[in-house]
Amino acid sequence: MKMLPPVSHPNLLVGTGTADDAGVYRLSDNLALVNTVDVITPLVDSPYDFGQIAAANSLSDIYAMGGQPVTALNILGFSPQKVDLEIVAEIIRGATDKADEAGCPIVGGHTIKDEELKIGLAVTGTIDPGKIIRNSTARAGDKLILTKPLGMGIMTTALKAGKLTEPEIERITGVMVQLNRVASELMVRFGAHAATDVTGFGLLGHAHEIARGSGVGLRLDAGAIPYLPEAMARTRKSGFISGGTVKNKEFLEEFVSFSAEVDKHERMIFFDAQTSGGLLISVAAEAAGKLLTALHGEGVEEAVVIGEVTVENAGNIIVDK
Ligand code: CO
Ligand code: CO
């Protein structure tokens, strides 16, 4: 997108000029559309779960803006020679059930022949134009809350190598199918200043977008950042670092300084590319405790404060212990 000129229109409230999660277009003074699309390739063996994860992942960008998803379109690519129609039907059933859970009917879609199986949703949501939560409006003094644990990239890479146990597969599936809906509703209610969802660029990549966009620094407490212990154990033993994570590390290293106590395996988890990750929320320090209590009370049990927003060090991140 950087190669294209930014799109502008009088009603375009959030466009391609910032690295935000979705576009926002004003229809009237109190109603705007939120638009996003995301497509993924298989991460787990169960076609139904893959469909659910794809839908939760696509819906997440609407939630990251503080919007409500309204309708969605399926985008599906598969090769009829390689994939049975029953499998395709299961994928769509998973996506449909997850979209239903979000109160967002899938009203149509498009299928193309594709050598590599993939599915995603184009989602349309709505939002009050006065309540858009961007990723470029964090304020110094804010606390940062992360709502899901990291390590999905390492775990799905290990899964592809046939190295995960059944309980481990259930654990990562449970994390990835969880909608960010409750987290989104609560962050809006508690007046969050900024947010994004943690996906392909990893925690540090998406945190960097908040820092750069907002002109602030971030300080993260490595000891507080949640991740699956299984992911740490596996990466210490055998790596399982995805190509996306390697790229994240290369791109981000100049913006991140780690203290010596943060070991190289922890660093990789913080760079780890996620699918359907949690929300990273920047909220006033006075509201952070109340938001966290509400998150825990309404089922977002793994949410934790992982750091804070600083005046100094604008655009950059310090990770210490
Ligand atoms: Co996003
Ligand atoms: Co996205």
Side-chain angles (χ1 to χ4, degrees):
M1 293 305 293
K2 277 196 194 117
M3 292 157 73
L4 303 171
V7 178
S8 82
H9 184 282
N11 287 325
L12 187 65
L13 303 178
V14 180
T16 56
T18 55
D20 246 304
D21 293 294
V24 183
Y25 182 93
R26 179 174 50 216
L27 294 175
S28 70
D29 284 348
N30 50 20
L31 186 66
L33 289 177
V34 191
N35 290 110
T36 182
V37 61
D38 214 326
V39 176
I40 62 170
T41 54
L43 303 154
V44 293
D45 296 328
S46 155
Y48 181 79
D49 289 340
F50 170 46
Q52 288 199 88
I53 293 167
N57 183 63
S58 294
L59 289 157
S60 180
D61 279 327
I62 303 282
Y63 292 132
M65 305 299 292
Q68 298 87 43
V70 177
T71 59
L73 299 169
N74 253 330
I75 298 160
L76 177 69
F78 76 102
S79 159
Q81 283 81 40
K82 287 192 195 163
V83 186
D84 288 348
L85 281 179
E86 293 85 67
I87 305 249
V88 175
E90 274 299 282
I91 296 170
I92 294 173
R93 195 169 68 84
T96 304
D97 285 355
K98 189 47 68 175
D100 280 348
E101 184 189 329
C104 173
I106 297 176
V107 297
H110 188 70
T111 302
I112 54 165
K113 261 193 204 166
D114 196 327
E115 285 307 302
E116 194 182 25
L117 179 62
K118 48 182 72 85
I119 187 172
L121 302 180
V123 189
T124 300
T126 55
I127 197 166
D128 177 337
K131 292 187 177 163
I132 302 165
I133 302 185
R134 298 162 198 261
N135 68 359
S136 55
T137 44
R139 299 181 202 168
D142 283 357
K143 295 286 184 196
L144 295 165
I145 292 176
L146 178 63
T147 67
K148 287 188 188 182
L150 305 175
M152 300 308 128
I154 290 161
M155 294 296 272
T156 54
T157 305
L159 173 56
K160 280 176 189 154
K163 303 289 185 193
L164 290 201
T165 64
E166 207 47 54
E168 286 174 326
I169 296 169
E170 275 171 37
R171 173 77 168 114
I172 61 168
T173 301
V175 171
M176 291 188 285
V177 302
Q178 186 185 26
L179 289 175
N180 283 326
R181 175 173 60 181
V182 172
S184 176
E185 289 168 359
L186 291 173
M187 79 170 175
V188 172
R189 194 187 308 164
F190 286 88
H193 294 151
T196 191
D197 59 336
V198 177
T199 53
F201 300 146
L203 172 66
L204 291 173
H206 294 281
H208 169 63
E209 287 181 339
I210 290 182
R212 186 186 54 192
S214 309
V216 296
L218 305 184
R219 198 199 61 76
L220 304 183
D221 174 3
I225 298 171
Y227 54 80
L228 298 189
E230 300 90 331
M232 178 62 87
R234 293 200 177 270
T235 203
R236 276 190 196 288
K237 202 166 147 225
S238 320
F240 296 120
I241 304 303
S242 71
T245 299
V246 171
K247 280 194 199 126
N248 290 344
K249 179 170 182 281
E250 283 167 6
F251 172 73
L252 291 162
E253 261 172 341
E254 65 175 298
F255 306 108
V256 184
S257 31
F258 294 99
S259 71
E261 306 87 75
V262 184
D263 81 28
K264 65 175 182 183
H265 302 291
E266 285 177 288
R267 297 179 191 196
M268 287 317 286
I269 287 201
F270 305 153
F271 288 121
D272 188 42
Q274 306 298 290
T275 301
S276 193
L279 297 185
L280 177 61
I281 303 167
S282 186
V283 62
E286 313 84 76
K290 285 179 223 149
L291 172 54
L292 203 60
T293 304
L295 286 165
H296 294 165
E298 296 198 29
V300 191
E301 282 137 19
E302 296 180 81
V304 282
V305 172
I306 63 163
E308 64 204 6
V309 180
T310 61
V311 181
E312 63 277 7
N313 206 24
N316 296 314
I317 303 170
I318 292 169
V319 185
D320 57 17
K321 267 190 182 171

